[in-house]
Amino acid sequence: MQLPMPNAPELAPLDYRTAFDLAPIGLVISRNRQMLDCNRHMLAMFGAEREDLVGRSFELLYPSVEEFERTGQRIVASLDQQGWYADERVMKRVGGPQRGELFWCHVSGRALDPAQPHAAGIWSFEDMSPRRRLGCELTAREREIAALLIEGLTSKLIGRKLNISPRTVDVYRARLMRKYGASTTPELVHKLLSA
């Protein structure tokens, strides 16, 4: 189906492919955690060419294999009844002059069948680095806990999500507070958000 573009006779008619390709946010269509298709914004955000992403596993975009695995488990455990999921996480650029750079990314999407969360999905990626930078070098577990602290979760809830004890969460929170020079959790969250 093609939709005409009002007041733009010199432009070609707008179709769904054009809308996908030119969307102002990174978009990916996936199957079994592999990227089947992505748009231009996604390629630019990750410093990639189409052949770098299409047909490849999302693992490529994570700082570590462990984060890829644990995020996959978290998605399965956290999908709502319609199959929706969203979070903020640290991702990794794969090419260009910023190759290997870690950055905060808001990811949201939908599993087409909530009973099979990774079978097929549509995902959006928003680069948050213009408003939020990684202020310190963090371990994989510190990045995960930082993201969940930003969401406002308690040690008990973070522990449940990550399948670790609340005491372990507190140890990592203390490490983050030292790294960011924060004396309270709200101060730490503020520094994480404004780094």
Side-chain angles (χ1 to χ4, degrees):
M1 175 178 170
Q2 292 198 356
L3 303 172
M5 291 181 63
N7 302 324
E10 69 279 6
L11 297 176
L14 182 63
D15 61 24
Y16 288 107
R17 182 68 211 187
T18 303
F20 177 81
D21 280 337
L22 299 179
I25 192 162
L27 296 173
V28 174
I29 298 170
S30 69
R31 186 173 309 274
N32 299 317
R33 298 191 83 191
Q34 289 199 345
M35 297 172 271
L36 296 181
D37 199 3
C38 64
N39 70 351
R40 294 178 190 180
H41 195 85
M42 184 74 177
L43 296 172
M45 183 185 324
F46 285 91
E49 299 294 327
R50 283 189 61 73
E51 59 271 10
D52 297 331
L53 300 187
V54 174
R56 304 280 305 273
S57 168
F58 279 115
E59 181 184 326
L60 177 71
L61 308 179
Y62 285 81
S64 69
V65 174
E66 295 81 20
E67 287 167 277
F68 168 73
E69 297 289 337
R70 288 194 293 250
T71 301
Q73 292 164 2
R74 216 168 37 249
I75 290 170
V76 169
S78 301
L79 282 180
D80 69 13
Q81 291 182 342
Q82 288 77 40
W84 293 95
Y85 179 83
D87 71 13
E88 292 177 3
R89 64 181 80 144
V90 175
M91 309 265 336
K92 179 180 73 176
R93 301 194 202 280
V94 298
Q98 297 173 313
R99 179 186 187 99
E101 176 186 82
L102 302 183
F103 68 102
W104 281 104
C105 191
H106 177 80
V107 180
S108 60
R110 179 171 189 215
L112 299 184
D113 178 359
Q116 299 180 57
H118 297 306
I122 302 167
W123 300 95
S124 68
F125 294 77
E126 178 189 2
D127 184 348
M128 300 177 72
S129 61
R131 344 184 254 290
R132 184 186 310 161
R133 299 241 177 241
L134 280 169
C136 299
E137 192 160 319
L138 304 176
T139 67
R141 188 60 91 182
E142 288 169 343
R143 288 190 290 267
E144 289 176 312
I145 289 173
L148 295 171
L149 286 170
I150 288 169
E151 288 182 24
L153 274 62
T154 64
S155 293
K156 189 174 182 179
L157 292 173
I158 292 171
R160 270 195 216 137
K161 274 192 174 270
L162 299 180
N163 203 21
I164 58 178
S165 76
R167 175 70 185 121
T168 301
V169 174
D170 290 339
V171 169
Y172 279 102
R173 180 196 325 255
R175 287 183 192 170
L176 286 165
M177 289 171 77
R178 277 193 303 276
K179 285 184 175 185
Y180 280 88
S183 55
T184 65
T185 300
E187 182 183 3
L188 172 62
V189 170
H190 175 74
K191 289 186 175 198
L192 286 167
L193 289 170
S194 60

